[in-house]
Amino acid sequence: MSGKKVNLSLYDSDKVNTGQGLKIAIVVSEWNHKITDRLYNGAFKTLIKHKVKKSDITKINVPGSFELIYGARLAQKQNFNAIIVIGCIIQGETRHFDFISQSVANSIAKLNMNDLSPVIFCVLTDNNIYQSNSRSGGDHGNKGVEAAFTALRMANLIKICLLYTSPSPRDKRQSRMPSSA
C-alpha cells in the first residue's frame, strides 16, 4: 500500500437506499477495544444517517475476533436484515495472527453461503497499531462506515431480489423484510 493519505471510506450516499425499517446487528470484538469502538461508532452513525432507527440496531459484544463467528451465527438466527462483524487483529511475533485471521475470514464467508442474513466483514488485519488507527477514523477513513454502507446495500439487495421471486411461505428470507417495505 502506498504511503499516501487517502480516505478510503468516502462513498456516494445517493447509492444507498433508506435504512428505514431495517434491523441491523453489529457484533463487536472487545479485544483491541480502542479500535473496535471507533469502528462501531462509524458504523452506528452511518446507519442512523441513513434512517435506521436506534432501536433497530443491536450491538452484541464478544471477547475477541474469533468469537465473532459464533456471535454472527447466533445473530443469523434472529430477525436481522444484515449483520456487521467488527474486529481488529494485529500482527504479533507468532503465527497466531495468521490462524485467527484466516479462521475468521473463512468462517464468515461460510456464514454468507447459508442463505440467511448477510454478514458484513469489518475485521481489520493489520501489521501494526498505526495501520489500525489509520483505518478506524484516521488517515484512511473508517472501515466501520464502509461496513454500514455495505450492510445497507446488501439488505436492500435482498428486498429487490424478493420482489422478483415468489418465495414459498417457508422461505426464511421472507421474514427479514422490513414492515415498511
Side-chain angles (χ1 to χ4, degrees), residues 7 16 27 38 44 48 59 61 70 73-74 89 93 100 114 131 140 145 153 156 161 168 173 180:
N7 184 340
V16 181
V27 186
R38 290 196 304 261
F44 183 84
I48 296 298
K59 182 180 183 186
N61 290 314
Y70 189 72
R73 184 170 169 255
L74 289 178
I89 308 167
E93 296 179 8
I100 297 298
N114 68 13
Q131 289 178 342
H140 293 293
V145 170
R153 300 259 335 254
N156 281 298
C161 289
S168 70
R173 292 174 297 175
S180 63

Side-chain angles (χ1 to χ4, degrees), residues 86-107:
I86 294 177
C88 177
I89 308 167
I90 301 172
Q91 177 69 57
E93 296 179 8
T94 68
R95 295 179 54 209
H96 181 75
F97 170 86
D98 298 320
F99 297 135
I100 297 298
S101 298
Q102 289 176 9
S103 293
V104 173
N106 290 337
S107 295

